[in-house]
Amino acid sequence: MENNQTNTGNPSVDITYRRKRNAEEMRHQVISFALMIFFTVVAFVAVGSGMSGWFTVPFILLLAAVQVVFQLYYFMHMSHKGHEAPALFLYSGLLVGLITILTFLTIVWW
Amino acid sequence: MHAEEKMTLEKWPAAPEKQTLEGKNKFVGFWLFLGGETVLFASLFATYLALKDKVPNPEHALAKDLFEIPLAFLMTMLLLTSSLTSVYAMYHMKNFEFKKMQLWLGITVLLGLGFLGCEIYEFNHYVHEYHHTFTSSAFGSAFYTLVGFHGGHVVFGLSWIILLMARNAKRGLSLYNAPKFYLASLYWHFIDVVWVFIFSVVYLMGMVG
């Protein structure tokens, strides 16, 4: 992580600096949480208001995808350095998973 | 720094979960596991989508008869909030504040238990009010397998966090247990990631029809 390089040799200075950085990051986490709550409410309202399925289904799937990006990159820290292997694993899994879903939706028809 | 070393605030590293070799290995290994879990849940979603509303006769309840907005919304809010509280726990872990970390993990567990209670009520309701069971139709099997597998993950995640909290209650934070707490919270976030798709694909799309 980038704040590994901020050793001044003075422990109390380092700690004050790191705590500040952590508090800053926590603020971003709370903002992403607020956005996730907002997307969730919008998705439920879109369904509750009884709009046409042709609009609602792609719309709530898009909201879900955005929410998951927030969850992965902020809550699960994938935006931090040193997450190349996790990204490889997750996206490989996602690729196989999406192909599975596509296959099932097209060849299973009974 | 080695894993069993007695830690102080001055010595606590910025990324305690990856300070030891064991921590680094666990981190990579756990993400590999989460990649596999993604495939597992994707196949269950694929099965559900293929078998949705496939019932033997018209007397069986379909997705639009079963699901209700208020309960799905409450469950989503409980799990989403518990994801934030576990972020707070990891924030205090990085600041070497063991008591505060335990407190926020405790709140996470309570919210998770609330979610689990709602799910038990929900399944019970479907079985007794709608006779929608695991064996009543292909739709029922696919629904309970997908949502039940997620519920099983919630049970496992809760047990994991509770065990970690109890096991390390008197030990305080060290480089030995920091990776354990970090991975348990990653697992908890992943459960929420899966739930985002469950409430969108199963509940919301089910109500749209």
Side-chain angles (χ1 to χ4, degrees), chain A residues 2-67:
Chain A
E2 45 200 318
N3 47 4
N4 269 344
Q5 285 131 27
T6 54
N7 274 330
T8 56
N10 181 341
S12 62
V13 172
D14 290 347
I15 289 158
T16 324
Y17 174 71
R18 263 165 44 193
R19 291 210 155 183
K20 229 177 185 162
R21 276 193 59 109
N22 288 347
E24 178 89 12
E25 203 196 330
M26 198 58 229
R27 259 196 301 281
H28 292 157
Q29 305 275 30
V30 174
I31 294 169
S32 42
F33 174 73
L35 285 170
M36 280 152 69
I37 292 279
F38 175 73
F39 292 141
T40 308
V41 171
V42 170
F44 274 89
V45 168
V47 171
S49 66
M51 276 183 276
S52 146
W54 291 107
F55 167 75
T56 337
V57 170
F59 182 62
I60 56 181
L61 286 180
L62 178 72
L63 287 178
V66 175
Q67 251 203 72

Side-chain angles (χ1 to χ4, degrees), chain B residues 172-200:
Chain B
L173 273 170
S174 69
L175 294 180
Y176 166 70
N177 57 28
K180 294 171 186 277
F181 285 113
Y182 186 82
L183 295 187
S185 99
L186 269 190
Y187 186 76
W188 194 254
H189 293 311
F190 185 78
I191 291 174
D192 198 38
V193 166
V194 174
W195 180 257
V196 169
F197 283 111
I198 292 188
F199 88 69
S200 303

Side-chain angles (χ1 to χ4, degrees), chain B residues 131-209:
Chain B
H131 305 290
H132 175 69
T133 68
F134 196 86
T135 51
S136 65
S137 62
F139 171 48
S141 310
F143 169 79
Y144 285 113
T145 309
L146 171 59
V147 184
F149 242 98
H150 176 268
H153 276 71
V154 173
V155 172
F156 185 84
L158 285 175
S159 323
W160 186 3
I161 296 174
I162 292 170
L163 278 174
L164 277 183
M165 286 172 68
R167 180 72 182 87
N168 295 292
K170 292 197 176 127
R171 208 185 244 156
L173 273 170
S174 69
L175 294 180
Y176 166 70
N177 57 28
K180 294 171 186 277
F181 285 113
Y182 186 82
L183 295 187
S185 99
L186 269 190
Y187 186 76
W188 194 254
H189 293 311
F190 185 78
I191 291 174
D192 198 38
V193 166
V194 174
W195 180 257
V196 169
F197 283 111
I198 292 188
F199 88 69
S200 303
V201 172
V202 177
Y203 292 90
L204 291 182
M205 275 167 65
M207 283 183 273
V208 170

Side-chain angles (χ1 to χ4, degrees), chain A residues 18-19 22 26 30 33 36-37 40 44 48 53 60 64 67-68 71 75-77 83 86 89 93 97 101 110, chain B residues 12-13 27 31-32 39 42 49 54 69 73 76-77 80 83 88 91 95 182 189 192-193 196-197 200 204 208:
Chain A
R18 263 165 44 193
R19 291 210 155 183
N22 288 347
M26 198 58 229
V30 174
F33 174 73
M36 280 152 69
I37 292 279
T40 308
F44 274 89
I60 56 181
Q67 251 203 72
V68 163
Q71 185 87 236
F75 282 15
M76 292 170 86
H77 312 293
H83 280 72
F89 297 149
I101 292 175
W110 54 84
Chain B
W12 193 240
F27 176 80
W31 273 100
L32 180 61
V39 179
L49 286 169
K54 299 288 186 287
I69 286 187
F73 186 73
T76 305
M77 286 300 140
L80 195 56
S83 208
Y88 266 108
Y91 166 65
N95 281 344
Y182 186 82
H189 293 311
D192 198 38
V193 166
V196 169
F197 283 111
S200 303
L204 291 182
V208 170

